[in-house]
Amino acid sequence: MRTGRPFRWPPRLPGVKRGEETPAVLLFLLFFLITAPFSIFKSIRDASFLTELGSENLPLAYATAFFVGLAVALQAKLQARVSRRALLSGSMMFFSLTGAIFALLLQMSGKWLALAYWVWANILIVSLMTQYWMLVNDIFNPREAKRLIGFIGSGGILGGIAGGLLTGFLAESFPLGILFLGGVLLLAAIPVILRLTGRGRPGGEPRDSRAAETENRDASLRQEGFKSCFDIVRRNDYLRLLAGIVLLTGLISTFVDWQSKAVIEMTVRGHLASFFGWFNAGLLIFSFFLQILGTSRIVDRYGIRSLLLFYPAVILIFTLGLSAWPVLVLAVALKGGDKSLSYSINQSARELLYFPVPPEQRVRAKVFIDMFLNRFSRTAGAILLLAAFALPWPSPLQAVGILSVLTLAAWIALNLKAASAYVRIVKDKLRGRWDRGDRVVEAEVDVGFAKTVFDLIETRRRSPVLFSLHLYDLMRKKKLTPDIRAMLLSEPGDPRFTALGALFEAGAEAAASAAGLEAEDAALEQFVREVMGLEVYGQVMEEYLARALERGGADDPVTRMEIAKALGLMPPRSPLVRRLEELLEDESEDVVRYALESAGRLGLREHVPAVVRRLGHPRLQDAAEEALMQYGPRITGGLLDILLDSSEPPAARRKAASILGGIGDQDAVDGLLFSLGAVSGKIRDEVLDALDRARSAGGVIRFDRNLVLAHLAEEFKRVYKIFIAEARTRKEGKDDPMRKGWASGLVLGVFKILGLAYPREDVFKAYKNWLSGTRESVAYALELLDNFLSKSVRDRLFPLLEDHSLKDRLRLIRSRLKNGGELRP
């Protein structure tokens, strides 16, 4: 008998992870208890105003935002002195009480009363909504909020639907009761607030630390009020951008509100309060399904840029339609599109834009932008409406339509700019840049100079000839500074080096005297070069080398070391250089090391086979690599042959990959990318590192993106299989291997390949912050990746990086492994 799946409690909620259920559900409920009464009050407000004053006086209602601004200033002062818990709970009690008073007063008719009720309802929603989203900011970080905003936002929309339906059913028959019901719903929110503000943040952060943080922040605000909120916005480019968006959003909403209400007033006959109740409920039903099913998916799939553009695009289409055909269907569609998207997508996008702002700035900025500027935009909209009415257009609807289109264009431009600024700020939130160790060493340390100095010190007593050759090498490289010269040419108590120093200085003076110049290193270098280029010098040296090689034998490696070093300082076309081949095969490792150095300096192709053979030698491979690096792109093909030849020693193949990465030209990169699919194990790791090295050099190198993504797909499969095998050894639900140290190395290859297809600095900045393991750093790292990786890549990467239980991580990884297809750019 088949048994069904076991019942789970709490049930899985959209976008909600284990441990987040309680705060997410409480925020959902609180949003419901704010928007449900407001939907009731709003329907009564609109109907009362149109009945008493008519649509021609709507600009007067919009202009009352001045009084909302005064209320905002008062709340800013209260916010600096009262905790979030006390202020939000007190606001609920205040609006419940004043709502009951208005319920009694509205039984009498009066134009002033309709206008006062309009102002009161606007103050209610501005105050409560701003405080609500501040509370969300306190509880969740940007990454969590982006994932949860679809769920908690749907609570507000569901509340609006409930309030609209209640108004539609009861407004005509029980007008007083429906208003009292709104007050009761506000009071019901107080226990939810107390429960929410008594919790810590999800993820185990203690409540005490959060409370202390909030108290410290509030203490810093205590002596500041509305002016400080304005100053924060004025001084910050990003906050000014958000302020501009909110201002234009308010203007558009004002124009849409007037256009739709003007058409509704002309066409609707009957009880307006009931109409607005049904209307608000209907549009919010659409908003609810869009929010719960669509908003988080849109953010996840298309990013915040698309979220910011969707709303104005819809409003633009309906505005143009209503301007041409002023009918009820288009009026309802325009207002419905405005409010449904405003409560879902636009509200979500706007709140997401605030998350990268530091908490102490965010609190002040929201007071000015969301509470004051949002309402001020209504006053500005009223003034622009009156100006539009004065234009010589056949219809005020057409004049307002043109004004709306112009404002929408500016709004779209600011939204695009805000999306780019958002990504930039998220990057700035991440700590430091990721630099390869070898690049740091190259930038900070002159390795060649240091090596020559060490060789000089080592050969001081072993061989005066080698010492002199190293000294000349330094001079040739323009690195023989006075301090180095003084250190190297003074050896108290050793007559060999005193004499050598005197000879060196004498040689320099003689060369300078012959040239009529000062005794400088450049003169000595030229003098030595001229001597080495003389034919008679070559003949003498040829005889000397032959005798030295025959005389030296196995018991005299120093002589052969001197010869190997000297050959590297000779002109490449000198006949003496051919003697280097036998030194490259010498039985002494010290001799071969000097011969390899000379081979790299001379750069002759006939020496390449002997140098390559040394790549497999454990103690000579580094010297061979350095020599081959000096050959540059001329040996790319040969190195690729070694890399792909399975018969070559693994050490030689790894070194070949490393050299190709150091060469880093287009042919080397293309060869490395091709070979990535043909090698495995440590050799593949070396190829990945070589590609990353070439990428980090910053040259103009093209990486075939489709090929890179194909390799990335294979790397995901490899990592998934390793993870699954490792997870089998762990305790189920208690010991997630992705939380262990080895996980950083496991995904490093993934990030190296990502760095070939996407901005490398951003990729590794995210990797570095993910490695830190702190909740905030991980959240911002994932947020940055979310804004430039394609959805198909994110779907494969995030199960490895996000915080999941072992069971959930395994489920996601097995699903990706089973259903994985091609990755798309």
Side-chain angles (χ1 to χ4, degrees):
M1 178 178 176
R2 290 185 64 184
T3 58
R5 299 179 69 178
F7 179 73
R8 298 175 59 178
W9 184 261
R12 183 63 59 88
L13 301 171
V16 181
K17 292 183 178 179
R18 292 292 178 186
E20 297 173 342
E21 296 94 342
T22 299
V25 170
L26 289 173
L27 286 169
F28 177 97
L29 182 58
L30 179 58
F31 209 5
F32 177 93
L33 293 172
I34 290 173
T35 57
F38 175 68
S39 184
I40 295 171
F41 300 147
K42 179 184 176 183
S43 299
I44 303 297
R45 178 201 73 179
D46 292 347
S48 175
F49 190 92
L50 290 177
T51 300
E52 297 292 338
L53 294 165
S55 63
E56 65 275 9
N57 288 310
L58 278 172
L60 176 63
Y62 303 143
T64 58
F66 169 76
F67 297 102
V68 179
L70 294 179
V72 168
L74 175 62
Q75 179 163 314
K77 291 184 177 295
L78 289 174
Q79 192 166 272
R81 291 166 171 78
V82 181
S83 69
R84 181 94 64 240
R85 182 185 220 188
L87 183 59
L88 197 47
S89 300
S91 298
M92 293 297 178
M93 289 186 282
F94 170 79
F95 286 114
S96 179
L97 176 62
T98 52
I101 294 172
F102 268 111
L104 297 173
L105 291 177
L106 285 174
Q107 303 309 303
M108 305 177 291
S109 60
K111 294 183 178 181
W112 68 269
L113 194 57
L115 189 60
Y117 189 67
W118 182 287
V119 174
W120 175 85
N122 285 347
I123 293 174
L124 177 146
I125 194 60
V126 170
S127 174
L128 297 186
M129 289 292 283
T130 302
Q131 291 182 64
Y132 172 80
W133 286 109
M134 285 181 178
L135 182 61
V136 174
N137 280 314
D138 286 343
I139 295 174
F140 294 115
N141 64 37
R143 185 72 193 163
E144 294 163 340
K146 178 182 279 192
R147 177 167 38 79
L148 295 168
I149 204 159
F151 174 72
I152 62 176
S154 63
I157 297 172
L158 200 59
I161 294 171
L165 291 174
L166 287 170
T167 307
F169 277 116
L170 302 175
E172 192 169 357
S173 52
F174 300 103
L176 183 62
I178 193 67
L179 289 171
F180 278 117
L181 178 59
V184 171
L185 291 172
L186 289 175
L187 292 176
I190 294 176
V192 180
I193 295 167
L194 297 178
R195 178 82 169 92
L196 266 171
T197 53
R199 290 181 52 84
R201 292 180 75 162
E205 191 172 343
R207 170 63 199 161
D208 291 344
S209 68
R210 294 295 302 165
E213 180 184 332
T214 303
E215 287 170 9
N216 292 338
R217 188 173 67 223
D218 290 345
S220 71
L221 293 170
R222 210 157 271 147
Q223 302 301 320
E224 305 185 51
F226 183 77
K227 184 178 183 302
S228 82
C229 299
F230 168 72
D231 288 340
I232 285 290
V233 176
R234 178 175 58 85
R235 295 168 185 164
N236 187 296
D237 292 340
Y238 182 68
L239 290 175
R240 287 203 305 271
L241 192 59
L242 297 190
I245 290 173
V246 169
L247 178 62
L248 292 178
T249 304
L251 291 178
I252 290 296
S253 187
T254 302
F255 300 154
V256 167
D257 191 67
W258 181 86
Q259 288 173 293
S260 60
K261 284 189 171 80
V263 175
I264 289 171
E265 185 190 29
M266 290 187 296
T267 55
V268 173
R269 298 292 180 265
H271 199 279
L272 283 176
S274 294
F275 171 83
F276 280 117
W278 292 113
F279 172 70
N280 289 332
L283 68 90
L284 287 173
I285 288 172
F286 172 74
S287 300
F288 172 76
F289 286 106
L290 180 63
Q291 180 76 6
I292 194 83
L293 300 175
T295 301
S296 293
R297 284 183 170 85
I298 292 173
V299 175
D300 182 57
R301 185 174 183 84
Y302 300 108
I304 195 169
R305 183 185 297 268
S306 299
L307 203 67
L308 288 168
L309 295 179
F310 186 74
Y311 179 29
V314 171
I315 299 303
L316 178 61
I317 292 170
F318 287 126
T319 296
L320 293 172
L322 189 64
S323 299
W325 301 284
V327 294
L328 181 62
V329 172
L330 285 176
V332 169
L334 176 62
K335 184 65 176 176
D338 174 44
K339 287 305 174 186
S340 62
L341 296 175
S342 175
Y343 290 142
S344 56
I345 286 179
N346 190 58
Q347 181 70 40
S348 300
R350 198 164 76 189
E351 294 305 325
L352 286 173
L353 289 174
Y354 276 114
F355 281 109
V357 180
E360 65 277 5
Q361 295 182 16
R362 187 192 306 146
V363 172
R364 298 188 184 104
K366 286 181 75 70
V367 168
F368 176 75
I369 295 174
D370 286 0
M371 297 176 68
F372 173 75
L373 194 60
N374 190 28
R375 292 295 113 185
F376 172 77
S377 65
R378 303 289 180 157
T379 302
I383 295 170
L384 291 173
L385 280 175
L386 293 173
F389 295 162
L391 292 175
W393 285 93
S395 165
L397 276 173
Q398 292 180 349
V400 176
I402 291 173
L403 187 61
S404 296
V405 170
L406 295 175
T407 309
L408 280 164
W411 189 22
I412 290 171
L414 281 186
N415 279 343
L416 288 171
K417 193 172 181 180
S420 299
Y422 173 84
V423 176
R424 186 178 65 253
I425 290 179
V426 169
K427 289 182 189 179
D428 294 341
K429 284 277 185 181
L430 301 180
R431 295 176 297 171
R433 56 178 294 166
W434 174 278
D435 290 314
R436 290 177 55 92
D438 52 4
R439 293 294 180 196
V440 173
V441 171
E442 288 175 9
E444 301 295 332
V445 179
D446 189 337
V447 178
F449 170 69
K451 181 178 180 299
T452 304
V453 171
F454 287 142
D455 286 342
L456 270 164
I457 295 172
E458 183 185 354
T459 57
R460 286 173 68 96
R461 300 182 184 279
R462 190 174 187 182
S463 169
V465 174
L466 276 177
F467 180 78
S468 301
L469 291 171
H470 284 308
L471 198 63
Y472 170 70
D473 205 8
L474 266 186
M475 186 182 300
R476 191 177 59 84
K477 295 175 181 177
K478 315 296 183 187
K479 298 292 179 68
L480 188 59
T481 64
D483 291 340
I484 297 294
R485 183 195 298 268
M487 179 187 73
L488 295 174
L489 296 180
S490 61
E491 181 71 10
D494 191 332
R496 292 180 302 162
F497 290 96
T498 303
L500 180 64
L503 179 62
F504 221 89
E505 295 297 337
E509 290 172 6
S513 175
L517 301 171
E518 294 181 14
E520 294 181 345
D521 293 339
L524 178 58
E525 180 186 352
Q526 181 64 26
F527 176 75
V528 173
R529 284 183 178 277
E530 289 176 358
V531 170
M532 286 185 170
L534 294 174
E535 184 177 353
V536 65
Y537 174 79
Q539 294 172 354
V540 171
M541 283 299 297
E542 175 73 18
E543 296 174 3
Y544 168 75
L545 291 177
R547 290 195 305 271
L549 289 172
E550 291 170 2
R551 181 181 66 247
D555 298 329
D556 187 19
V558 173
T559 301
R560 300 196 304 282
M561 290 163 59
E562 294 169 350
I563 295 170
K565 177 72 176 179
L567 290 176
L569 300 176
M570 293 182 178
R573 285 180 284 185
S574 170
L576 299 174
V577 170
R578 69 176 183 273
R579 306 302 298 267
L580 188 63
E581 292 185 33
E582 55 190 286
L583 294 173
L584 286 168
E585 305 293 345
D586 198 275
E587 58 188 21
S588 168
E589 291 180 6
D590 289 334
V591 173
V592 175
R593 188 172 288 108
Y594 278 106
L596 288 170
E597 178 187 333
S598 294
R601 181 171 294 161
L602 294 168
L604 298 176
R605 188 174 293 275
E606 55 263 30
H607 296 146
V608 171
V611 177
V612 166
R613 282 194 293 275
R614 296 299 182 175
L615 286 175
H617 193 289
R619 290 182 295 278
L620 293 174
Q621 59 183 210
D622 289 339
E625 178 182 4
E626 185 178 342
L628 291 171
M629 281 288 295
Q630 296 182 65
Y631 278 85
R634 291 179 295 158
I635 58 169
T636 295
L639 291 171
L640 284 172
D641 290 340
I642 296 170
L643 175 60
L644 295 170
D645 188 349
S646 59
S647 65
E648 291 284 350
R653 297 174 70 189
R654 291 197 299 271
K655 281 298 181 182
S658 177
I659 298 168
L660 287 166
I663 293 172
D665 67 347
Q666 190 64 57
D667 289 339
V669 165
D670 290 344
L672 285 168
L673 263 181
F674 172 79
S675 67
L676 192 58
V679 295
S680 60
K682 292 183 179 180
I683 298 175
R684 187 175 189 276
D685 293 340
E686 192 66 53
V687 171
L688 269 180
D689 191 68
L691 284 165
D692 180 64
R693 182 181 181 186
R695 174 72 160 165
S696 69
V700 186
I701 302 296
R702 292 175 289 100
F703 290 81
D704 185 332
R705 201 165 195 186
N706 291 327
L707 184 55
V708 169
L709 292 177
H711 288 311
L712 181 60
E714 291 302 314
E715 183 69 8
F716 277 127
K717 291 179 183 177
R718 187 184 73 87
V719 170
Y720 288 166
K721 291 174 181 177
I722 294 174
F723 175 84
I724 292 171
E726 180 70 18
R728 291 195 183 106
T729 67
R730 309 283 175 161
K731 295 179 181 179
E732 182 68 20
K734 295 183 179 180
D735 200 8
D736 186 349
M738 285 309 295
R739 297 193 179 103
K740 300 297 178 182
W742 71 274
S744 61
L746 179 66
V747 299
L748 179 57
V750 171
F751 277 88
K752 284 181 178 179
I753 299 177
L754 282 173
L756 305 179
Y758 295 96
R760 183 184 181 276
E761 183 176 348
D762 294 345
V763 167
F764 278 97
K765 184 178 280 190
Y767 175 68
K768 179 180 180 180
N769 281 266
W770 177 77
L771 281 183
S772 72
T774 65
R775 187 166 170 270
E776 296 297 322
S777 293
V778 170
Y780 279 110
L782 295 176
E783 182 65 15
L784 176 59
L785 292 170
D786 203 14
N787 278 278
F788 65 78
L789 296 180
S790 69
K791 184 179 185 303
S792 62
V793 173
R794 294 198 309 268
D795 286 346
R796 307 279 183 91
L797 178 64
F798 284 5
L800 294 168
L801 304 185
E802 289 184 317
D803 186 23
H804 294 288
S805 67
L806 177 57
K807 183 176 180 180
D808 287 343
R809 197 186 304 279
L810 276 170
R811 176 179 55 82
L812 289 169
I813 285 176
R814 284 171 175 151
S815 172
R816 301 298 189 271
L817 191 58
K818 179 180 179 182
N819 303 317
E822 292 185 358
L823 295 176
R824 292 181 295 276

